[in-house]
Amino acid sequence: MVFYDCTLVDMYGETPDLVQYSRKGENQFLVALALSRDGMPLSYEILPGNTPDIDTVQGALERLKKRFSIGQCIFVADRGMVSEKKLKKIDSLGYKYIVGVRLNQWKEVKEEVLTTPGRYTKVKENLHVKEVNLDNKRYLICYNPLRAARDKKIREEMVKKLEEEIDGLDPESKKAAALYGHRYKGRFLRKLKDNTLRIDRTRIREDEKYDGKYILRTSEKELDKDEIAITYKRLCRIERSFRSLKSLNDLQPVYHYKDRRIKSHVSVCMLAHLLERHMEQKLENEGLEMTAAKALETLGRMRVSKMSLNDIEFLIRTNSTEEINEIFQKLHFRPPSRVEELT
């Protein structure tokens, strides 16, 4: 099982070749990361910031095929990574896949998959699944009732605010043009012949059909739909890895001005993340549910001071706590000595 995703990393200062204007319009470079089933980093690649995420997939798959002797592999990626062409490439490499699909990405998804009748199976409180097979393609409709309620609330609040904003609004004003051209708000507005803005109730009813839903497509035939849906939800681990890399391991911002230094910087951060994941795995295997960030924060409460006595220098640490002792014990390390002479 290989989980794959990309993230943009901020760059400040002089801009080397790797740093390009990204889709966010900023100086950034792209990091593509592949994780194993248990969240361990397998491989990564650094690419120019203007590289579309979807264009990284083929290279990533070919590198995995070349570097690792993998008999079977299921490639798991989110909806920004796939197209029909990319899925055919995954098939040609002998890999299977579980990928997210945008609701409006393919006509057959919107018009046939989502309209296919059938009952959902409750996998978890926040995950209901329905399978749809269409022209030898296996789709799963995943429904989260908690997310559906949140989607509905957000839309209702936004529409209520829109009604107030367009009430008496000059149709030729800049504000009217900005509202109509807004990426999200504009979806629920329509123009009359005199350019007056009105709430598009038809679009609202259409949008309600998608509340709390997302679509998966898979070439995997042996796993049941519940296991596939749960597997895809594990993709959130890679998002957690990116958050950790950018915060705990200081992946960004980057101030280097040469490509080789950027690559070295990312390499050190990836090694640090690998150690972090090993730490978490060891704690988990010992029955202690704690992130590496929390463990390091807790251990950081232990301080060391340098003192001199009769021209001899000593390191003296502060008292430990039960929580600190437990972390050392689970990691199979001894706490540092209370007093240590420097020779």
Side-chain angles (χ1 to χ4, degrees), residues 31 102 124 184 193 282 295:
V31 175
R102 288 192 176 96
K124 294 181 178 180
Y184 182 61
K193 291 182 178 180
K282 201 166 186 178

Side-chain angles (χ1 to χ4, degrees), residues 137-155:
K137 301 172 187 175
R138 190 181 185 192
Y139 289 97
L140 299 182
I141 305 175
C142 299
Y143 174 70
N144 183 342
L146 302 179
R147 181 179 166 184
R150 185 184 65 189
D151 290 345
K152 181 179 180 181
K153 183 178 179 182
I154 291 173
R155 184 177 53 253

Side-chain angles (χ1 to χ4, degrees), residues 41-58:
L42 287 174
S43 68
Y44 71 93
E45 186 180 17
I46 307 168
L47 298 161
N50 58 358
T51 307
D53 290 359
I54 194 170
D55 289 349
T56 69
V57 174
Q58 182 172 331

Side-chain angles (χ1 to χ4, degrees), residues 252-318:
Q252 73 170 23
V254 177
Y255 298 97
H256 301 297
Y257 59 91
K258 291 186 178 180
D259 286 344
R260 61 183 178 84
R261 293 187 177 181
I262 290 177
K263 292 177 180 179
S264 298
H265 171 78
V266 175
S267 179
V268 170
C269 291
M270 287 295 176
L271 288 172
H273 183 58
L274 180 62
L275 291 173
E276 174 191 345
R277 287 297 301 124
H278 273 295
M279 184 181 192
E280 290 178 344
Q281 194 175 66
K282 201 166 186 178
L283 291 172
E284 185 179 345
N285 292 339
E286 292 292 328
L288 182 59
E289 293 289 338
M290 181 180 287
T291 64
K294 177 64 176 176
L296 292 172
E297 179 190 353
T298 303
L299 293 174
R301 297 171 191 161
M302 182 181 286
R303 302 292 182 177
V304 175
S305 300
K306 183 187 288 187
M307 299 187 69
S308 296
L309 180 64
N310 297 328
D311 296 328
I312 301 175
E313 291 188 328
F314 297 89
L315 290 179
I316 301 177
R317 69 165 173 84
T318 58

Side-chain angles (χ1 to χ4, degrees), residues 121-341:
T121 300
K122 183 177 179 181
V123 181
K124 294 181 178 180
E125 195 64 37
N126 63 343
L127 180 60
H128 301 188
V129 181
K130 179 171 70 173
E131 182 171 342
V132 177
N133 290 286
L134 184 67
D135 298 331
N136 204 31
K137 301 172 187 175
R138 190 181 185 192
Y139 289 97
L140 299 182
I141 305 175
C142 299
Y143 174 70
N144 183 342
L146 302 179
R147 181 179 166 184
R150 185 184 65 189
D151 290 345
K152 181 179 180 181
K153 183 178 179 182
I154 291 173
R155 184 177 53 253
E156 287 177 346
E157 290 176 351
M158 187 272 301
V159 170
K160 184 178 179 181
K161 187 176 179 180
L162 265 181
E163 288 174 334
E164 295 172 356
E165 288 183 290
I166 65 175
D167 184 28
L169 181 66
D170 180 359
E172 305 300 329
S173 65
K174 289 184 178 180
K175 184 177 180 180
L179 284 175
Y180 191 69
H182 193 275
R183 185 176 180 180
Y184 182 61
K185 293 180 180 180
R187 295 166 53 198
F188 304 105
L189 292 173
R190 61 187 179 89
K191 275 186 178 181
L192 303 182
K193 291 182 178 180
D194 61 354
N195 287 333
T196 303
L197 296 181
R198 290 289 183 267
I199 300 297
D200 190 339
R201 302 294 174 184
T202 303
R203 185 58 187 265
I204 291 174
R205 288 193 294 271
E206 180 71 17
D207 200 65
E208 287 174 349
K209 299 176 183 178
Y210 308 131
D211 285 352
K213 293 178 183 176
Y214 57 95
I215 306 295
L216 305 182
R217 180 168 160 182
T218 180
S219 61
E220 172 58 51
K221 304 298 183 183
E222 296 180 8
L223 295 178
D224 64 36
K225 63 180 185 299
D226 297 358
E227 190 172 356
I228 289 172
I230 292 173
T231 296
Y232 183 79
K233 284 182 72 69
R234 294 194 190 120
L235 194 60
C236 65
R237 287 180 177 176
I238 206 164
E239 292 294 337
R240 187 160 69 89
S241 287
F242 286 141
R243 287 195 298 271
S244 179
L245 280 165
K246 290 181 177 181
S247 56
L248 183 63
N249 300 320
D250 294 329
L251 177 62
Q252 73 170 23
V254 177
Y255 298 97
H256 301 297
Y257 59 91
K258 291 186 178 180
D259 286 344
R260 61 183 178 84
R261 293 187 177 181
I262 290 177
K263 292 177 180 179
S264 298
H265 171 78
V266 175
S267 179
V268 170
C269 291
M270 287 295 176
L271 288 172
H273 183 58
L274 180 62
L275 291 173
E276 174 191 345
R277 287 297 301 124
H278 273 295
M279 184 181 192
E280 290 178 344
Q281 194 175 66
K282 201 166 186 178
L283 291 172
E284 185 179 345
N285 292 339
E286 292 292 328
L288 182 59
E289 293 289 338
M290 181 180 287
T291 64
K294 177 64 176 176
L296 292 172
E297 179 190 353
T298 303
L299 293 174
R301 297 171 191 161
M302 182 181 286
R303 302 292 182 177
V304 175
S305 300
K306 183 187 288 187
M307 299 187 69
S308 296
L309 180 64
N310 297 328
D311 296 328
I312 301 175
E313 291 188 328
F314 297 89
L315 290 179
I316 301 177
R317 69 165 173 84
T318 58
N319 291 327
S320 186
T321 64
E322 286 188 16
E323 196 173 16
I324 290 174
N325 288 334
E326 184 182 19
I327 294 172
F328 275 117
Q329 180 187 358
K330 300 299 185 184
L331 293 174
H332 299 171
F333 288 122
R334 288 187 305 173
S337 301
R338 184 76 172 82
V339 179
E340 184 177 341
E341 181 179 341

Side-chain angles (χ1 to χ4, degrees), residues 30-44:
L30 189 74
V31 175
L33 178 63
L35 298 183
S36 66
R37 179 194 291 266
D38 55 1
M40 288 293 182
L42 287 174
S43 68
Y44 71 93

